[in-house]
């Protein structure tokens, strides 16, 4: 199980969202904040990777296809710098091959767009509960 360390002084579970679609990104931020998560959004993959919070986040939600870098490369880079949190891939190009590749690359979940909020919240709530049981 990956170690989790929240950067929030109030101990909230921290999620970083990288999606080039402003509607998806903003919708995720609003949904997750309404559930008590600390959330930051990024228009590009490189913007997320450049943010020092990336090393300390509990979870990342990464779009598969971004204009600058894909979700696989983002997760690979985060793992190379020692990040060990949970990773969720979201994609409008979801199929069994992508899901298989994502699992092999270390993603904990792959969700198809358009997103079903309940599936995302269930995955996050399960992980947050695991973190709380360990502390």
């Amino acid at each position: 199980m990956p170690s989790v360390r929240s950067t929030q002084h109030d101990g909230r579970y921290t999620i970083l969202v990288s999606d080039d679609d402003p509607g998806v990104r903003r919708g995720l931020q609003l949904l997750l904040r309404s559930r008590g998560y600390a959330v930051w959004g990024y228009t590009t993959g490189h913007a997320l990777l450049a943010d020092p919070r990336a090393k300390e986040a509990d979870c990342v939600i990464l779009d598969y296809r971004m204009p600058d870098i894909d979700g696989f490369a983002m997760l690979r880079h985060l793992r190379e710098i020692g990040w060990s949190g949970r990773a969720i891939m979201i994609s409008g190009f979801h199929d069994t091959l992508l899901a298989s590749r994502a699992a092999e690359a270390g993603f904990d979940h792959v969700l198809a767009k358009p997103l079903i909020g309940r599936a995302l919240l269930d995955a996050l709530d399960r992980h947050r509960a695991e973190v709380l049981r360990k502390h």
Side-chain angles (χ1 to χ4, degrees):
M1 179 64 57
S3 65
V4 177
R5 51 206 186 272
S6 178
T7 60
Q8 297 302 304
H9 66 278
D10 62 5
R12 289 188 300 158
Y13 189 93
T14 305
I15 303 169
L16 308 182
V17 177
S18 182
D19 195 305
D20 58 319
D21 182 322
V24 170
R25 188 178 59 254
R26 185 71 178 137
L28 284 172
Q29 288 177 282
L30 291 171
L31 173 67
L32 298 173
R33 285 182 181 147
S34 76
R35 295 292 296 239
Y37 294 106
V39 184
W40 282 272
Y42 305 87
T43 58
T44 68
H46 285 115
L48 181 148
L49 295 174
D51 188 336
R53 288 181 287 219
K55 288 179 72 172
E56 301 299 323
D58 296 302
C59 181
V60 293
I61 300 174
L62 306 174
D63 190 9
Y64 165 51
R65 285 193 178 172
M66 297 281 286
D68 60 335
I69 184 173
D70 69 25
F72 290 108
M74 282 189 277
L75 182 58
R76 187 170 43 254
H77 177 78
L78 288 168
R79 298 292 190 215
E80 286 171 358
I81 62 171
W83 181 76
S84 58
R86 293 291 176 112
I88 297 172
M89 176 177 278
I90 56 177
S91 176
F93 305 94
H94 187 276
D95 61 18
T96 55
L97 178 59
L98 178 64
S100 177
R101 286 183 56 215
E104 289 174 12
F107 281 92
D108 298 286
H109 301 280
V110 181
L111 301 174
K113 291 181 185 177
L115 289 173
I116 298 172
R118 175 77 322 205
L120 176 62
L121 291 173
D122 286 348
L124 291 168
D125 289 346
R126 279 192 309 271
H127 184 245
R128 181 168 51 178
E130 289 173 19
V131 170
L132 292 174
R133 278 194 303 271
K134 288 184 173 195
H135 294 283

